[in-house]
Amino acid sequence: MSETQLSEQRNAGLGLTIVIAATVSISVSNILTPMVYALGVNTETLLVLRLACFLVLCSVWIRLLGISLRIGRRNMLHCIGSGVAYAIGSGSLIAGFFFMPVSLVILIFYTFPLLIRLSEALLDRRPPSLMEIAFLLTAFLGLAICLGIGFERLNAPGMIFSALAALAVTVSFVWNGRKLASVPSTVSTFYMAATGFVLILAFAPLAGGWRLPPAEGFAIVIVAATALTFAGAFLGMYTGVRMIGASRTGLIMNLEPVLTIALAIAVLDEQMAPNQFVGAALVIAAIYGAQRLPAQGSSS
């Protein structure tokens, strides 16, 4: 094996580790979020606190490493575009929760790994292999089993918002992976988060304003932990897009609902039914199998 191949293999391994860490991080944030809501914080305030935390930490990191924020007008527009798409995706996902059960919204949302792969196939004019599609569909089936879906509660508004969330995140991942490969991921995610921050600040007054947590020790710790875990996940996801591609990053993100359920059992003392174990096993098997497939070219 040549030195170049060894370097690519190490890079892929590191990228895989980063995405898995990001998935764990967002799952922890999911578990902490209900605690934040219990403190009286609303969705708009939580989103702003998360992005503000990320922007502060990212700014410090960029300054310590001496990374330049100058990326040129074209790259800046790509960052803003990808950031707008991600903000739309996040907002649509939250909106979907008002109309349908969380499990249904999450299931529709997690069509985005398949949408990413199909988008890349269309852009590359190279159809995905049957094995790729099989693994993606297996992961989707596993999620459906794991979440215990009841389709009788489907409704049009919930489906529209959930589908819009999946489409917007797909656009953001593919856009970032293809148009921002020359920009350090720390810098691109900084501008993306800044874009989302501005959009939410503009939208919040229309949605009911701000609801801050009480200035107490426990409340501050919970809110800070939620913001920090989100910040790590946000950077990790888009770093992964650069290192292993949008398709594989999206596929690994299927672990998020599974890990959230596992953490809910461990932290919140919730129960897991036998069918959920089967669904989780299918998701993990599909992700492992997909990682064993040979790479089919760059996604950038």
Side-chain angles (χ1 to χ4, degrees):
M1 185 179 291
S2 68
E3 186 62 32
T4 300
Q5 289 174 316
L6 283 172
S7 177
E8 289 177 351
Q9 193 174 65
R10 286 194 293 268
N11 190 62
L14 178 59
L16 178 64
T17 302
I18 288 172
V19 176
I20 291 174
T23 305
V24 173
S25 189
I26 197 66
S27 298
V28 172
S29 185
N30 290 342
I31 293 297
L32 294 174
T33 295
M35 300 181 190
V36 175
Y37 286 146
L39 296 171
V41 178
N42 62 4
T43 300
E44 297 77 33
T45 304
L46 178 57
L47 288 172
V48 165
L49 290 174
R50 283 175 165 183
L51 290 173
C53 175
F54 175 82
L55 289 170
V56 170
L57 292 175
C58 198
S59 298
V60 171
W61 184 250
I62 286 171
R63 186 173 181 81
L64 286 174
L65 295 183
I67 299 173
S68 174
L69 285 172
R70 296 179 181 177
I71 58 174
R73 181 174 176 273
R74 181 181 294 275
N75 284 331
M76 177 65 76
L77 290 174
H78 286 312
C79 287
I80 292 172
S82 183
V84 168
Y86 186 81
I88 291 172
S90 298
S92 298
L93 186 65
I94 291 170
F97 294 152
F98 285 102
F99 298 99
M100 289 196 312
V102 172
S103 58
L104 282 173
V105 175
I106 290 296
L107 182 66
I108 295 172
F109 174 66
Y110 270 89
T111 58
F112 82 82
L114 181 58
L115 293 175
I116 288 173
R117 186 64 196 93
L118 294 175
S119 298
E120 291 190 330
L122 181 64
L123 292 170
D124 292 336
R125 297 181 182 178
R126 174 176 48 81
S129 69
L130 291 177
M131 288 301 294
E132 283 183 294
I133 296 298
F135 283 131
L136 285 164
L137 292 177
T138 299
F140 184 73
L141 174 62
L143 280 181
I145 295 172
C146 200
L147 295 170
I149 301 303
F151 292 103
E152 66 278 358
R153 298 187 66 182
L154 282 172
N155 60 65
M159 291 175 65
I160 290 170
F161 279 116
S162 303
L164 179 59
L167 287 169
V169 169
T170 296
V171 169
S172 182
F173 271 44
V174 174
W175 196 335
N176 189 284
R178 288 174 176 269
K179 297 299 184 181
L180 291 167
S182 62
V183 180
S185 56
T186 308
V187 176
S188 63
T189 50
F190 174 83
Y191 285 123
M192 288 172 61
T195 300
F197 184 76
V198 171
L199 287 175
I200 295 167
L201 282 179
F203 175 77
L206 302 176
W210 311 105
R211 294 180 192 169
L212 295 171
E216 301 171 357
F218 175 77
I220 293 173
V221 168
I222 292 297
V223 173
T226 308
L228 286 169
T229 48
F230 169 81
F234 188 75
L235 179 59
M237 283 189 299
Y238 285 95
T239 300
V241 168
R242 302 293 177 74
M243 298 183 75
I244 63 174
S247 290
R248 287 191 168 178
T249 298
L251 178 64
I252 295 168
M253 292 301 294
N254 277 297
L255 283 173
E256 180 191 332
V258 175
L259 290 173
T260 299
I261 291 172
L263 288 170
I265 294 170
V267 178
L268 304 178
D269 200 29
E270 294 185 3
Q271 300 300 312
M272 190 169 182
N275 66 295
Q276 291 180 301
F277 284 105
V278 174
L282 282 173
V283 172
I284 293 169
I287 290 172
Y288 175 78
Q291 297 308 309
R292 304 292 294 177
L293 293 175
Q296 297 188 31
S298 175
S299 63
S300 57

